[in-house]
Structure formats: C-alpha cells, structure tokens
Amino acid sequence: MFTLMRFAEWENPATNDLEWLIRKDGCMHCEDPGCLKACPAPGAIVQYSNGIVDFIHDNCIGCGYCVTGCPFDIPRISQTDHKSYKCTLCSDRVAVGQGPACAKACPTQAIVFGTKADMQAHAETRIEDLKSRGYENAGLYDPAGVGGTHVMYVLHHADKPGIYNDLPENPRISPVVEGWKGVTKTAGLAAIGLAAVGATLHGLFARGNEVEEHDVQSADALVKGEDPDHGGHV
Amino acid sequence: MTNPWTDIKNTDLAIVMGGNAAEAHPCGFKWVTEAKAHRGAKLIVVDPRYTRTASVADYYAPIRPGSDIAFLMGVIRWCMENDKVQWDYVRNYTNASYLVREDFGWSDGLFTGYDEEKRDFNKESWDYQMGEDGFALTDPTLQDPRCVWNMLKQHVDVYTPEFVENITGTPRDKFLDICAMIGECSAVDKTMTSMYALGWTQHSKGAQNIRGMAMLQLILGNIGVRGGGMNALRGHSNIQGLTDIGLMSNLIPGYLNIPTEKEVDWQTYLSTREFRPLQPGQTSYWQNYPKFMVSFLKAMWGDAATAENDWAFDYLPKLDVPAYDIMRMFELMNNDRVNLYFCQGFNPLLSIPDRGKVTAGLSKLKMLVVMDPLSTETSHFWQNHGAHNEVDTASIQTEVLELPTTCFAEDEGALVNSGRWLQWHWPGATPPGEAKHDTWIMAQIWTRVRELYRTEGGAFPDPIVNLSWDYADPGEPTPAELAREMNGRALAAVTDPATGAQVLQAGQQVSGFGQLRDDGTTMAGCWIYAGSWTEDGNMMARRDNSDPDETGMYLNWAFAWPANRRVLYNRASADMAGKPWDATRPLIQWDGAKWGGYDVPDIAPTADPSTVGPFIMNQEGVSRLFSRGMMRDGPFPTHMEPFESPMANVFNPRMRGNPVARVFESDVARLGNSDEFPFVATSYRLTEHFHYWTKHNRVNAALQPEFFVEISVELAEERGIANGSRVRVFGKRGQVWAKAVVTRRLQPLICDGKPVHVVGIPLHWGFMGAAKKGWGPNSLTPFIGDANTDTPEFKAFLVNIEPATEEPVA
C-alpha cells in the first residue's frame, strides 16, 4: 500500500547516454522511524524486533503527524476511514516465515528479502557487478541519518541519490518532530510548533505528483466503475 | 526457440534486437538476469526506442525501424573481415564450402530470376552445383569463388560501417562497439543468444531479418550450443502451439504441408518430398515425411484411409493460392467472396492492418460468429463509438453471433511455450455464465454439420461423414482424448523393421515418432507431439524440476517437442569427433559407440560423427548460410526498405518494399509517401497490458489507462507539441488521437544525412472494456505482409503528427 514505482529518465553527463532510474518508492522501515517518533497515539505505530515498522490501525487516530514525521514522505491518511497507511513489508507473511509478496512475485529477483546482514552481503555482490559494468559509483543506500533502513537500495549512482526522483541524500527526522515529545510539549510553544509543522506539510505536499484535473476525474470514474470517457473528451 | 528459456542463463552475451523482453516477457527475462548475475554475461539492446530492456543493458544502440538486415549484414561483414569466425564450425557444420551455380547472382538489389510482372523470382539458379552422382559439389578449402563462403563475402561487401550508419541511423561507433562484443563470441568458450520477437517478424521482410541473425549465429558457432541459439520469444502463451498444430492455412499439424492444386495425387505430392541426401551417407530426416503424413491421414479418417485410396489424400483440400492467410481473407471479404466468418479467440478489428478495410470487409459478411471470452471490438464492429468507431450502423447488415468461451484459466490442456515445452495445466476456476469450452462449441457445431451431410448429401460429403470422431462424448471431446490422439497410437501390431520384433500392440500409445509407420498401422494427429502422452501417461504433466549439474535442461519437467529435446541441433554442440566444443558447457557427446549427455541427442544415438553431419533436417547434413530456394525473397538477406519509408532503396530506387511481397491491387493506392507523411512509426506492447484483453480488467486499465504516442523532444519542438498534450497522428489509411509523451527514449536518427523522426505507438486500446477509449496502431498500418509468412508490417510505416486543435466528438 502506498508503494509507487518511480522512474526518472536521466541523461548521464559523463556518457551522454539515457538511463532509466527505476525505484520502488515505499516505506523504508527506518531503524529510527520518524513516523513512530511523531505519533501521539499510543500503540498506533510499532517497531518489531525484526525491524519492520507497522501501523496498528485500531490505535490510529488519523492525526497525520506520521506523515509529517516521515523523511521519505510515505504514509497517507485514508479518506475513507481516516487512518494512516503505508507498506507493512507484509508483516503478516513475514511473521509466518514467508517473504514479502513483492519479493515473492518479482520475476527477475530485483527485490530480495533476508536478514540485514545477508542483504548487505548480497548488495556487495551487486555493487561489485555494477562496478565491473562501468558504474563506478554504485553503492548501497542505507542512510545513517535515520539509523539505517530495513529497505535498502543498490543504486548505480549512490553518490547522487537525488536523481532517483528526489531520494533524500541525507534523510533526517525533522527537528520539529524530534522536538515534539520534548520541549514543544509545553503549551506556550505549541502554537509555534504547529505553525512550523504546517510549513513542513506544505513543503511535502508541493512535491507530490502533478496530475491534471481531468486525469483525476477519469481515475475516480474508473475506480467507481463508471465509463471514464463519460463527459470527457477524446 | 531453438533453446529453452532456462538455457539463457548459460549465455555470455544476450542480444535483444527485434524485441523487448524485459517488458513483454518479464518472467522469461529472469534468465538474462541469471546469466548477468552468475556468468557476468553482457546484454546488448538494439531498438528504435530506449526500452525497459535497454535500461538494464550493458550497451544500447538505436536503429531505424525496418533497417535490421543492413545492420546484421554489416556485423557479418565485420566478423569476416576481422576473423571473428568459428572456423571449424563454419567449414564443417555450414554449407560454406558448397558451390553455387554459375548463373546465380545479385545486382540492383535483386537476385537472378526476378519477374516484375509476377512479383516473384524464378529460383532455379539459387542452388548448388550438382555432381553426376546426384551429390552437391563442395570445395572444403573455401578457395573456389563460387563457394557459399565467398559468395557471402561478396554479398555483404557493400555493408561497410559507413553504409550501415547511413541506412540504419545507428552511430558508427556504437555499431562497431557492438560488432566487437559480438565478435568475441566466435570463441568456442563464448556464446551469444539472440532473443527476438515481433519487432523482427512484423516486417515485409521479417523472415529475412531472422535469417540474418541465424547466419551470424552459425558463423559464430552458436547454434545447438548451451547459451546460444535463435530464440523467438512468442507473443502469446500458446502461439507456439498454434503454429505446431497447423492453424496456418497452408500447414497441417507438425509443419506438414496442405497440398496445392498442382499436387493432384499422392504420388505427385510425395515426388517433391523425397529429401534425398546431398552428401553420401547423410541422414536426411525428412525422408520420414510419408510416415508422418500417413499417420496424420489415419488420425483424420481412420478406417476410411486405406492404401487403396492413398490414405484418403483426396479428402484434403488443395490450395489454389500459396495461403489463405488473414489478409487474403479480408481482401476476399472486401471482394464479396466471403459470406460467413468464424472468428475464434481473435480480435481482427484491432489486429489486422488497415482497420478501415477490416471494417469494410466485416460489413460485407452475411454472418460473423465471434467465439471469445470477452466482448470484443470485432463483435461490436457495427456499433458507432464516435471517432473511436465511426460507422453507419444502419447500413451494416451483417448478423453477429457472440459465443462466449472459457478463458485459459478455466481450461484444461497443454500450453506450448516459446521453448517448445508442452506444459499441462488444470482449470483454476469454473466458467462463468454461459461460457463454454471452445471444444464443446466446435463439437456441437461439427456433429450437426455432419448430420446435415449424412441426411442431405452434398457435392463431396466423404471427408466430412468419414472423419474419425472417436470420443466418449461426441458432443465434447476431452483434453485428454485430444492429447492422446495428437501423440498417436498403434492401429495394429507395429514391428521393428530391422529385427522383426514387435514394438507396439494395437491400441498402444506410441512412445515417439520413430514408431510411426507409412503402412497404416499407426496414427498420430501431430507427429512432433509423439511422446507427449505415452503408455507411461501424460508426459506434459510432469513436474520434476531436477537438473543434474545445473545445465538448465530439466528433462523431467513437462515435455518438449521434438522427442523431449530441449536444444535443437544439439549435435552441433560437439566438435567433429563428438567432443563438446566447450568442456565447461557440455550438452551431448560421442563415447565412441553412442551419443549421450544432458539432452536428448538431435541425431541417431549410434550415428558416427565422422559420417553423419549434425543438421539432419537438411539434406546436406549442414546448416545453410545460403538457403537455396527455401525463401521467396532470396538465398541471402538483402537490405530492403519498408513499403512506406522515408528513404528510397539505395540499391534500386525503383524498388518499393520487398519486391516479392504480395500487394493487392486495391492497396497500392493506400500506400503513403514521405513527402506527405514524413515520420516513421512503429508499434509495440506495454508491460501493463496483454494485447486487447487486459483493458477489460480495471487494475490493468488503471495502470495504463489511456492511449498515448511517444515522440522525441526534437519532433515535439518541430511540431509545437507539448508533453501531455493531445495530438492527431494520421497516415494514408487513417488517423488517431492520442496523448503525446515527449521523451528522450526516442531520438531522431540521422540517415543519409537527414534526421528521421520515429513515432512510437503502443497497441492496447480500443472502444470496449474498462480503459479509456482509444485506437490501435492498425488504424494506420499498411495491408502488407512478409513475403514468406504474410505477417503484417506493423513495425515500420509512415505517419504525420500535429497538435490536435479540434477534438472529435466522442
């Protein structure tokens, strides 16, 4: 849920060749999760011992602070039940010894699942292979600013994460969120804190996909099972 | 495919040209990933578009649609010039040393024997010099100027890197880099695999595109070996099965031929199918043709096929034209020559070129019967959908019957994959509503038609009333009954001609096509499937995935035709003494007395390597760099332009397209020129959709909801088209409206000093289903096909494009 395949068409200035930078954009399952830090509802966001960060919807109050707290802009509030959702890394499947569905389904094993140490070792072989094919800056994306992540990427150009549809170079939990459970708890500072959160929210939303109005309408129609062409144009 | 999908992991270099495997065959593409991960294999993609396959390639080069032959002949020239040749293979396993007749030649883009009036070649000179003993003359030293090798050298001489760049638009440095990567695979311990699909077949010279790469693979010694081969990635889960089982109008099951009207009797038919060896002692396997044909006729007509009536040969229809291919059928419809059309699992309104002509043809029918799981555009061709299907419904008098069928997931049976594996599957769901199995529908119609002939007679009722119909329920043959019939069984005791020992009792299933006979004691519906359902049961249902030494052969998984062989021509994986060329990748080997190894040998088990050549399906025992008269458009591939092209043929400016491709008279005026339509268009599939089916599914429809075309940034600037804006794409035969995707994936190509812009047109939209209404590329494509196969030219045609100022009324 709320996992997107993103790709960027990037012209490599070193070679003048076009490259497609494809990224599975979803919850990174941070070791130090900003969403969990921001969440005011006890038990709504949990982190299991295996590293998976999960949302417990019965406890979610739909405040959206996790959206603000996430340095990767992942969680979204459902307009239907007003609770927050994101990729669970198939915590239910993992709990019974199965890997996540995406890894299971991927025909080319672009997504693999295992212990962090195994995955780091696997990444090493991938990086070595990419370097042998001319990608000198290939490397692992496992950013330290959030304590490392439990979803990691092998990037061809690990020196420039930003070219992968704005993958943050050094993701950090917003200082506002860091402070949320500390000093800003005092009533006097709350108003300032909220204003700052508002500003951050705006910044995040402004980075979303740009979609034309008629695309939204026809997508809505499609979801409702209506004729997407009704009233539209060719 | 000569090799199975699973064998691609054994390659050192995968070249994807004429296909887009990562996008159109994502599950099979994993074997490329395996080869890259475990062998350090490289991947080359040559395509007009930067595709998803290109995005994971080590090397990508663009090419002008329809210019692949020039590229491939250029690579062959480069390999010859730079000694990148597997010489032992070329000398011993190809016809390089065979002498070509003195009167054969090539000039002005044409081989000898061209008849402009007939649009055909007299192919008599396209042959070997023959000795008085009936065997072909050869020069093993390759010195004779008339030997195939020297003739080929002369033929490709014009395809210099400069020439290739001019024709294809592929930058010379990229072309040369690719040549160098390919050339490495002439070493015995390096192999290349060719993966292609409709990007090569859907051209007026599609078969010659494939010939070109097959020749290159032979020169590199890459046919019959692990990690090599010519691998046609089929566009449908069972399209391999379709051709195997003879759904081509000129074929009967197992690639046997429907007789022509010149083959008036059985003796005449057999006289052109003697397949005498062209070398002493050579196995020429097609000499068994009569056994397969008689067994087929016995499967068709049982006791009514006897030695006295030439196995009911007269019951077979006789072709008065080369083929009743689908374009000919629609031509005939347009000429009021067809009353009733049965359309089974097929959506011609979107898949046959020149949609206007398709609509006109369907409108002239008295009745159209559509058997399909979905409500298709074809069954609604008469319904007005505004610009998406602009027809005058009231003027169409065709009666349309829709017979809902089950889909693959509701059926039992075998699907034949690209690697020739017959994999049995079981139904996963109960058919919805009134949907019926295709077999039920056909059996119900058949039993009623037979009853009419029985009671009312007719001009020639015999083939119909005598048809063998030996099923427990005549109204619904079961998949098992049909599969057993295709495999074949003994009708009487079958003996070994050498020893006289009985090998089969009457009624027993044959274990392989070696047990088929031409004396009426056996029957088999499709000889190449012999061995798929034996006395041991259903071999297609086997699911043992053991793979000794990880060769990728999986001999106990399902069944591969022929004879459960996984790599065709695998005899050629070993040298002249029968030792594997590459000791690290053995397939089969000769132990001094017999062949054995990881695959079923493609040669008689005791055939001595010193006497029997490896390519036993050819009379020569070797493969053909020079294809004699086997192909209508020449024994070597030669560059031809598409019928609609921005360039004149450089060899012969008068020559349009393929000089022997069939052109119906009414279509000549429907071909466009580049002054009016300056841009080259090509069509393709997207990973989110399968043909015209998945637009009926909301999930797929949401993933790729809307028809679009792709153009380069440069073309967008030239025409004032903004990314995401609406455009009109129009050609000589029609027009479509689409959203423009302006992308760097397409780049203008410089051909003969001038930029050639390419417009990319995906094929998944129509006016039925859940996705937004759109069009298919067939609204624009010409009614022209390949000279050998009549596969339509969907991959290179001319269009113009402009911003859509006015939108049509939807």
Side-chain angles (χ1 to χ4, degrees):
Chain A
M1 192 164 289
F2 300 127
T3 298
L4 285 175
M5 291 305 298
R6 296 187 186 275
F7 78 93
E9 290 180 3
W10 183 66
E11 276 183 285
N12 188 332
T15 59
N16 285 330
D17 285 339
L18 186 68
E19 292 183 25
W20 273 19
L21 307 175
I22 297 178
R23 177 161 74 90
K24 174 177 167 292
D25 185 20
C27 176
M28 301 296 284
H29 297 274
C30 306
E31 181 60 27
D32 183 12
C35 56
L36 174 54
K37 203 157 257 177
C39 180
I45 300 181
V46 297
Q47 186 176 34
Y48 303 125
S49 57
N50 61 14
I52 292 179
V53 179
D54 209 357
F55 286 9
I56 310 299
H57 296 110
D58 283 351
N59 299 332
C60 177
I61 58 171
C63 66
Y65 287 12
C66 54
V67 178
T68 321
C70 175
F72 296 98
D73 185 27
I74 297 300
R76 289 290 183 274
I77 306 295
S78 160
Q79 291 183 13
T80 311
D81 67 2
H82 307 291
K83 291 176 187 292
S84 187
Y85 287 88
K86 68 164 188 71
C87 156
T88 66
L89 210 66
C90 295
S91 54
D92 49 346
R93 288 175 55 91
V94 172
V96 294
Q98 297 176 317
C102 57
K104 174 87 175 169
C106 179
T108 52
Q109 294 182 334
I111 304 167
V112 290
F113 178 75
T115 65
K116 181 145 184 171
D118 284 352
M119 292 302 98
Q120 282 167 329
H122 176 71
E124 272 315 305
T125 66
R126 295 287 307 120
I127 290 162
E128 196 184 322
D129 182 69
L130 286 172
K131 285 186 172 168
S132 78
R133 294 171 197 272
Y135 295 100
E136 287 162 14
N137 296 311
L140 185 65
Y141 185 81
D142 181 20
V146 290
T149 53
H150 291 280
V151 169
M152 300 179 289
Y153 298 123
V154 172
L155 302 178
H156 299 71
H157 308 285
D159 56 327
K160 295 187 274 290
I163 62 176
Y164 294 82
N165 281 91
D166 300 323
L167 185 61
E169 192 145 341
N170 186 17
R172 302 194 67 86
I173 302 169
S174 154
V176 178
V177 174
E178 288 279 13
W180 160 245
K181 283 174 182 168
V183 286
T184 48
K185 273 195 169 176
T186 61
L189 291 174
I192 298 165
L194 282 171
V197 168
T200 314
L201 278 172
H202 175 77
L204 291 172
F205 289 155
R207 275 200 274 133
N209 279 348
E210 286 171 25
V211 181
E212 288 174 32
E213 186 55 31
H214 89 269
D215 288 330
V216 174
Q217 284 166 4
S218 48
D220 283 347
L222 202 58
V223 169
K224 288 174 196 148
E226 294 166 3
D227 177 0
D229 290 303
H230 181 71
H233 49 240
V234 174
Chain B
M1 288 169 77
T2 56
N3 295 39
W5 282 104
T6 46
D7 171 68
I8 292 172
K9 72 169 185 173
N10 293 319
T11 200
D12 299 299
L13 176 64
I15 179 159
V16 179
M17 193 172 167
N20 177 12
E23 197 150 356
H25 303 86
C27 288
F29 190 75
K30 71 171 156 233
W31 300 105
V32 177
T33 311
E34 284 278 315
K36 287 178 76 179
H38 299 300
R39 289 190 64 83
K42 296 281 197 291
L43 171 63
I44 295 174
V45 173
V46 181
D47 199 282
R49 252 178 349 132
Y50 185 88
T51 62
R52 292 191 211 201
T53 313
S55 76
V56 291
D58 294 278
Y59 208 94
Y60 164 74
I63 185 170
R64 176 168 67 96
S67 66
D68 302 70
I69 291 173
F71 190 101
L72 293 166
M73 293 303 105
V75 180
I76 288 179
R77 182 187 186 278
W78 186 91
C79 288
M80 289 174 120
E81 194 180 15
N82 292 279
D83 197 26
K84 296 295 181 186
V85 174
Q86 215 278 50
W87 280 110
D88 283 334
Y89 194 103
V90 166
R91 283 180 205 280
N92 295 287
Y93 293 177
T94 76
N95 62 0
S97 64
Y98 282 57
L99 303 188
V100 175
R101 278 172 54 147
E102 293 289 349
D103 52 347
F104 167 77
W106 179 89
S107 63
D108 300 332
L110 293 163
F111 296 95
T112 41
Y114 188 58
D115 183 333
E116 194 169 352
E117 196 77 354
K118 288 188 190 158
R119 289 184 66 78
D120 205 357
F121 286 105
N122 175 349
K123 300 191 280 285
E124 200 190 334
S125 69
W126 305 3
D127 208 347
Y128 305 134
Q129 299 178 26
M130 300 297 237
E132 281 172 11
D133 54 4
F135 296 122
L137 299 182
T138 65
D139 172 21
T141 67
L142 305 186
Q143 297 304 308
D144 192 305
R146 299 302 296 180
C147 79
V148 166
W149 187 252
N150 291 326
M151 299 293 291
L152 176 61
K153 195 180 273 179
Q154 191 188 330
H155 180 75
V156 299
D157 190 51
V158 64
Y159 297 90
T160 60
E162 298 71 33
F163 180 92
V164 171
E165 181 178 46
N166 254 341
I167 297 289
T168 64
T170 307
R172 195 178 322 178
D173 57 333
K174 286 189 189 285
F175 169 74
L176 289 171
D177 286 347
I178 289 172
C179 286
M181 290 172 79
I182 291 174
E184 282 181 34
C185 296
S186 61
V188 292
D189 60 351
K190 287 251 189 248
T191 57
M192 172 172 89
T193 181
S194 159
M195 299 167 70
Y196 67 92
L198 286 88
W200 265 356
T201 57
Q202 289 183 329
H203 289 279
S204 52
K205 66 284 183 158
Q208 293 285 8
N209 287 334
I210 296 155
R211 272 280 301 155
M213 180 57 93
M215 289 161 63
L216 176 60
Q217 286 287 63
L218 290 171
I219 289 169
L220 300 169
N222 281 338
I223 296 290
V225 302
R226 273 165 63 181
M230 285 302 294
N231 296 311
L233 318 180
R234 310 305 306 256
H236 187 291
S237 59
N238 202 23
I239 213 73
Q240 182 67 52
L242 181 143
T243 45
D244 294 347
I245 217 70
L247 283 179
M248 307 283 286
S249 68
N250 58 341
L251 294 177
I252 45 187
Y255 303 94
L256 305 176
N257 301 111
I258 295 256
T260 69
E261 61 182 4
K262 285 184 189 146
E263 290 162 330
V264 290
D265 56 39
W266 177 233
Q267 294 315 321
T268 313
Y269 179 78
L270 287 185
S271 68
T272 54
R273 293 175 175 81
E274 288 179 343
F275 302 104
R276 282 184 304 106
L278 295 178
Q279 289 299 325
Q282 178 56 42
T283 305
S284 173
Y285 202 81
W286 275 117
Q287 289 191 299
N288 294 302
Y289 194 101
K291 296 174 185 168
F292 311 145
M293 190 68 187
V294 171
S295 295
F296 167 74
L297 292 168
K298 290 295 287 183
M300 286 291 284
W301 288 291
D303 291 340
T306 64
E308 291 69 38
N309 72 356
D310 288 334
W311 315 109
F313 176 81
D314 293 340
Y315 288 8
L316 286 173
K318 310 290 183 292
L319 284 166
D320 58 341
V321 292
Y324 281 95
D325 60 283
I326 189 66
M327 282 192 286
R328 186 183 296 280
M329 288 311 299
F330 276 87
E331 172 71 10
L332 290 170
M333 268 180 222
N334 274 277
N335 298 340
D336 291 311
R337 303 260 315 273
V338 185
N339 291 324
L340 166 63
Y341 187 62
F342 257 81
C343 183
Q344 185 182 7
F346 179 44
N347 193 0
L349 194 69
L350 292 181
S351 50
I352 301 302
D354 196 350
R355 177 162 154 189
K357 189 165 172 170
V358 177
T359 302
L362 294 172
S363 303
K364 291 189 167 185
L365 292 169
K366 288 198 167 61
M367 187 190 275
L368 168 68
V369 182
V370 179
M371 293 169 62
D372 207 281
L374 300 165
S375 217
T376 66
E377 279 77 7
T378 299
S379 65
H380 292 74
F381 80 94
W382 48 270
Q383 205 171 54
N384 189 300
H385 286 255
H388 297 99
N389 199 45
E390 193 90 69
V391 290
D392 176 17
T393 302
S395 69
I396 297 172
Q397 297 303 309
T398 310
E399 183 175 1
V400 180
L401 295 182
E402 270 185 306
L403 302 179
T405 64
T406 51
C407 81
F408 65 95
E410 294 144 9
D411 287 337
E412 183 180 355
L415 296 171
V416 188
N417 78 1
S418 305
R420 299 166 283 101
W421 292 7
L422 286 76
Q423 302 188 95
W424 198 263
H425 68 102
W426 293 266
T430 311
E434 293 181 292
K436 296 285 188 188
H437 296 307
D438 290 67
T439 41
W440 182 89
I441 295 172
M442 290 188 286
Q444 296 295 321
I445 294 170
W446 155 251
T447 48
R448 285 166 175 80
V449 169
R450 181 176 58 179
E451 198 50 36
L452 286 174
Y453 274 92
R454 275 179 178 162
T455 54
E456 297 177 16
F460 188 37
D462 308 42
I464 292 169
V465 297
N466 288 331
L467 191 79
S468 177
W469 200 259
D470 189 17
Y471 308 110
D473 174 1
E476 186 163 26
T478 66
E481 284 174 315
L482 294 167
R484 289 169 61 91
E485 184 178 10
M486 279 188 256
N487 177 84
R489 65 174 178 270
L491 299 170
V494 174
T495 54
D496 182 333
T499 63
Q502 183 170 308
V503 290
L504 287 173
Q505 297 168 17
Q508 281 187 317
Q509 294 289 107
V510 301
S511 63
F513 45 75
Q515 293 178 335
L516 297 178
R517 298 289 183 263
D518 58 5
D519 60 3
T521 56
T522 58
M523 64 83 104
C526 182
W527 72 276
I528 57 174
Y529 289 175
S532 62
W533 196 310
T534 66
E535 285 298 303
D536 293 328
N538 184 354
M539 298 294 118
M540 301 171 279
R542 297 182 304 165
R543 289 295 183 271
D544 175 357
N545 64 356
S546 58
D547 182 27
D549 296 334
E550 299 184 339
T551 62
M553 295 302 117
Y554 300 100
L555 288 188
N556 296 316
W557 179 277
F559 173 83
W561 74 258
N564 202 30
R565 185 171 297 128
R566 306 296 158 136
V567 175
L568 295 180
Y569 318 115
N570 60 30
R571 159 63 187 92
S573 68
D575 64 15
M576 288 72 76
K579 207 161 93 330
W581 294 111
D582 179 359
T584 68
R585 271 179 295 197
L587 203 44
I588 64 163
Q589 53 199 322
W590 176 252
D591 67 4
K594 61 179 190 316
W595 289 96
Y598 296 103
D599 195 6
V600 178
D602 195 351
I603 194 141
T606 55
D608 192 308
S610 61
T611 54
V612 182
F615 288 85
I616 58 171
M617 300 310 280
N618 289 348
Q619 294 155 270
E620 302 91 322
V622 293
S623 55
R624 295 177 180 135
L625 295 172
F626 174 87
S627 66
R628 307 174 69 196
M630 303 294 285
M631 293 174 74
R632 287 192 61 232
D633 40 6
F636 292 133
T638 192
H639 167 67
M640 297 169 256
E641 289 292 337
F643 271 87
E644 290 188 342
S645 172
M647 293 174 76
N649 188 312
V650 66
F651 300 130
N652 184 342
R654 277 188 57 233
M655 197 162 98
R656 178 164 210 172
N658 184 325
V660 295
R662 180 194 59 203
V663 185
F664 294 112
E665 223 175 290
S666 58
D667 295 311
V668 176
R670 293 174 76 82
L671 288 172
N673 290 314
S674 60
D675 42 6
E676 207 178 342
F677 306 103
F679 308 124
V680 176
T682 192
S683 64
Y684 45 87
R685 198 196 263 188
L686 305 171
T687 212
E688 292 80 3
H689 279 301
F690 181 76
H691 290 224
Y692 312 102
W693 300 11
T694 51
K695 65 177 161 64
H696 290 261
N697 180 319
R698 279 196 212 154
V699 174
N700 301 76
L703 286 170
Q704 284 286 12
E706 185 173 4
F707 179 46
F708 63 88
V709 298
E710 291 182 73
I711 56 172
S712 67
V713 175
E714 292 80 359
L715 178 56
E717 275 168 12
E718 189 178 318
R719 291 280 148 150
I721 294 164
N723 188 26
S725 69
R726 198 146 293 275
V727 289
R728 184 171 82 101
V729 181
F730 53 107
K732 188 74 175 174
R733 293 158 298 274
Q735 56 186 342
V736 301
W737 284 263
K739 208 165 201 179
V741 173
V742 178
T743 170
R744 289 267 169 223
R745 301 194 287 266
L746 283 165
Q747 306 264 354
L749 297 154
I750 307 298
C751 297
D752 210 13
K754 292 188 283 283
V756 173
H757 293 288
V758 179
V759 179
I761 306 179
L763 58 76
H764 302 291
W765 287 272
F767 56 84
M768 303 293 290
K772 280 182 74 110
K773 289 177 186 176
W775 288 266
N778 76 324
S779 292
L780 303 166
T781 54
F783 204 76
I784 297 265
D786 173 74
N788 292 281
T789 65
D790 295 307
T791 301
E793 186 151 74
F794 270 118
K795 291 294 187 263
F797 52 97
L798 292 177
V799 296
N800 205 337
I801 188 167
E802 64 182 18
T805 46
E806 275 177 56
E807 281 154 1
V809 181

